[in-house]
């Protein structure tokens, strides 16, 4: 602890002398030098950056989704944990936003614009040492909470998210009436569970246990009997954000299809869903391809603000002129970004519903 400043002498600065010795050590010097060695591989020098196309017209309607989650731990025995999740869909009023000062938007005006165009959803998961009396254990309690939360029929949501969920998994936008692909039953753990077209609940044909449509996502595969990992609420948040965004898409598809291609749908984070939850990805891809083939291309982007791709962009984007675009192909991603063997599966084969694109709009970002 340094001495505080007195009347006659300034305060002591914390252990600066010790730091000085550390940075003068030959070993530390050598290490630091080796830490700062981002030599750009030759493959990254001649990348196929292209100028950002200037054709096309601005999209009229902009929708964005975002979410947050927070786990609260009690610091007294038996140390319980509850995780809270909040998600929101925002419709941007591009006319009202256009009138704002882009560098210094007035916070109250911005707040008012947002208040008029946001829908919120929130829920909570008992992760550890919290019980719901009517349910046999935490495992089944969380299954029920996921079902009830997706079904959220509050005045804000009115069951719209469940409708979107069914619209995706039963491919309700197509003409064929499909049942759910078989998935692992949360009771007998055999891969025999399914539900008939449009059903929200049913019974397992093998053990007779209750099945929710949301069980097909496989949250129960990540849970223990009495506790659930923090990842449950993070994954729920990502899935709920995706469903919120697709609720806006579904609404246009069903009611204003001719305006669908005038919209921009923006997700916070990549257009991907990990592990067993990626069962949503295949029907989403099918829908996007179908919409394009029917003449209603959907403009959807996921903006990444951290992670491997973001870090790589800092590296390769520095010397590129503004308004440039680069689409990395599979081989490049595996070799330069993931640094894994080229022989493995294609990047994002089962988990992504969008391609990666690097776009440099202006210089400021790199300053
Ligand atoms: Zn079963």
């Amino acid at each position: 602890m340094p001495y505080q400043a007195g009347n006659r002498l300034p305060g002591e600065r914390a252990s600066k002398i010790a730091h000085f010795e550390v940075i003068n050590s030959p070993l530390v010097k050598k290490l630091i030098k080796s830490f700062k060695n981002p030599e750009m591989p030759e493959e990254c020098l001649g990348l196929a950056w292209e100028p950002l196309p200037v054709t096309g017209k601005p999209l009229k309607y902009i929708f964005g989704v975002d979410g947050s989650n927070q786990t609260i731990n009690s610091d007294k025995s038996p140390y319980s944990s509850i995780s809270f999740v909040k998600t929101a869909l925002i419709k941007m009023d591009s006319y009202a936003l256009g009138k704002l000062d882009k560098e210094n938007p007035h916070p109250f005006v911005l707040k008012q614009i947002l208040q008029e165009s946001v829908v919120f959803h929130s829920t909570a998961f008992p992760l550890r040492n919290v019980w719901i009396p009517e349910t046999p254990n935490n495992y089944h309690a969380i299954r029920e909470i996921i079902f009830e939360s997706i079904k959220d029929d509050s005045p804000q949501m009115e069951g719209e998210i469940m409708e979107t969920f069914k619209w995706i998994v039963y491919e309700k936008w197509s003409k064929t009436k499909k049942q759910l692909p078989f998935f692992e039953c949360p009771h007998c753990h055999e891969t025999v569970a399914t539900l008939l077209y449009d059903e929200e609940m049913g019974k397992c044909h093998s053990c007779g246990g209750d099945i929710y449509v949301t069980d097909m996502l496989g949250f129960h595969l990540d849970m223990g009997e009495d506790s659930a990992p923090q990842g449950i609420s993070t994954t729920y948040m990502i899935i709920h954000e995706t469903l919120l965004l697709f609720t806006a898409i579904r609404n246009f598809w069903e009611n204003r299809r001719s305006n669908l291609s005038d919209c921009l749908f923006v997700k916070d984070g990549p257009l991907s869903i990990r592990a067993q939850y990626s069962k949503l990805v295949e029907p989403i891809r099918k829908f996007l391809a179908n919409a394009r083939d029917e003449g209603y291309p959907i403009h959807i982007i996921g903006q990444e603000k951290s992670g491997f791709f973001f870090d790589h962009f800092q590296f390769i984007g520095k010397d590129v002129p503004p308004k440039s675009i680069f689409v990395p192909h599979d081989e490049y991603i595996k070799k330069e970004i993931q640094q894994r063997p080229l022989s493995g599966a294609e990047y994002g084969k089962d988990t992504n519903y969008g391609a990666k694109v690097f776009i440099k709009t202006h210089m400021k970002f790199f300053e």
Side-chain angles (χ1 to χ4, degrees):
M1 282 284 284
Y3 290 110
Q4 298 300 309
N7 288 336
R8 293 169 49 227
L9 293 169
E12 187 197 16
R13 295 174 73 182
S15 301
K16 280 292 174 290
I17 300 200
H19 289 179
F20 188 70
E21 279 172 8
V22 171
I23 57 171
N24 264 328
S25 141
L27 173 64
V28 172
K29 274 185 175 171
K30 193 177 145 198
L31 284 171
I32 289 177
K33 210 173 171 194
S34 74
F35 294 158
K36 289 185 187 170
N37 64 349
E39 274 181 28
M40 201 168 333
E42 267 179 34
E43 290 87 339
C44 298
L45 287 173
L47 296 181
W49 286 91
E50 295 166 47
L52 200 62
V54 285
T55 52
K57 55 183 169 83
L59 299 170
K60 277 190 211 159
Y61 313 101
I62 303 168
F63 294 87
V65 281
D66 203 354
S68 63
N69 75 327
Q70 179 89 45
T71 299
I72 308 291
N73 300 305
S74 96
D75 49 8
K76 282 190 194 141
S77 177
Y79 306 110
S80 53
S81 302
I82 301 177
S83 197
F84 296 87
V85 178
K86 187 174 178 182
T87 56
L89 172 69
I90 307 158
K91 179 179 179 284
M92 296 291 181
D93 181 339
S94 22
Y95 177 71
L97 285 174
K99 290 197 293 184
L100 278 178
D101 180 340
K102 283 191 180 58
E103 296 293 326
N104 293 301
H106 192 290
F108 292 152
V109 181
L110 193 61
K111 192 176 166 200
Q112 194 178 356
I113 294 173
L114 293 179
Q115 260 171 359
E116 287 165 6
S117 51
V118 183
V119 284
F120 288 112
H121 160 80
S122 26
T123 192
F125 296 104
L127 297 185
R128 201 161 56 117
N129 291 330
V130 182
W131 291 272
I132 300 180
E134 299 84 43
T135 48
N137 56 27
N138 212 35
Y139 174 92
H140 292 294
I142 288 195
R143 283 181 53 230
E144 206 174 310
I145 292 171
I146 287 168
F147 176 71
E148 292 296 338
S149 304
I150 298 275
K151 206 172 157 56
D152 186 354
D153 51 10
S154 65
Q156 278 263 318
M157 289 294 157
E158 297 175 333
E160 287 285 310
I161 301 299
M162 175 58 87
E163 193 47 48
T164 302
F165 182 67
K166 291 194 293 176
W167 186 74
I168 293 173
V169 296
Y170 289 112
E171 297 175 21
K172 288 175 80 171
W173 45 267
S174 73
K175 289 183 181 70
T176 47
K177 295 196 167 182
K178 287 188 165 180
Q179 67 172 51
L180 281 190
F182 290 103
F183 59 93
E184 189 191 296
C185 167
H187 305 278
C188 66
H189 302 288
E190 286 182 51
T191 311
V192 291
T194 180
L195 288 173
L196 296 178
Y197 180 75
D198 208 23
E199 277 183 344
E200 290 178 12
M201 290 175 72
K203 300 271 183 204
C204 168
H205 298 298
S206 178
C207 70
D210 289 330
I211 303 282
Y212 298 123
V213 65
T214 43
D215 285 330
M216 66 88 73
L217 290 167
F219 277 96
H220 56 280
L221 302 177
D222 280 342
M223 287 190 284
E225 202 166 88
D226 283 316
S227 66
Q230 155 91 40
I232 295 274
S233 68
T234 317
T235 305
Y236 174 85
M237 182 186 79
I238 293 168
I239 286 176
H240 202 272
E241 285 173 349
T242 311
L243 293 174
L244 266 176
L245 204 56
F246 273 86
T247 299
I249 293 174
R250 177 174 64 82
N251 250 295
F252 272 87
W253 181 260
E254 289 174 347
N255 305 312
R256 294 171 65 185
R257 200 174 298 185
S258 58
N259 291 122
L260 183 55
S261 297
D262 294 330
C263 300
L264 173 65
F265 301 97
V266 185
K267 186 180 168 295
D268 184 34
L271 300 180
S272 66
I273 304 175
R274 69 175 185 94
Q276 72 263 30
Y277 309 99
S278 65
K279 280 179 195 150
L280 279 181
V281 169
E282 199 203 335
I284 284 177
R285 277 183 181 170
K286 263 184 169 172
F287 168 71
L288 294 176
N290 172 78
R292 178 200 58 207
D293 295 345
E294 286 195 26
Y296 305 99
I298 292 167
H299 306 114
I300 179 168
I301 59 166
Q303 190 199 7
E304 298 186 32
K305 295 178 291 194
S306 59
F308 284 123
F309 285 84
F310 178 85
D311 293 344
H312 191 74
F313 184 43
Q314 309 304 305
F315 192 51
I316 60 167
K318 223 170 182 164
D319 301 322
V320 172
K323 298 189 176 169
S324 297
I325 182 169
F326 168 53
V327 185
H329 51 67
D330 175 58
E331 193 184 311
Y332 181 87
I333 292 174
K334 283 194 281 204
K335 193 171 169 200
E336 307 298 339
I337 302 175
Q338 294 190 307
Q339 287 159 5
R340 66 177 170 102
L342 299 182
S343 52
E346 265 174 34
Y347 170 73
K349 184 171 171 279
D350 300 315
T351 53
N352 291 22
Y353 54 96
K356 297 286 181 186
V357 182
F358 292 107
I359 302 176
K360 180 168 178 178
T361 50
H362 50 77
M363 288 305 288
K364 210 174 169 185
F365 188 56
F366 292 87
E367 279 166 2

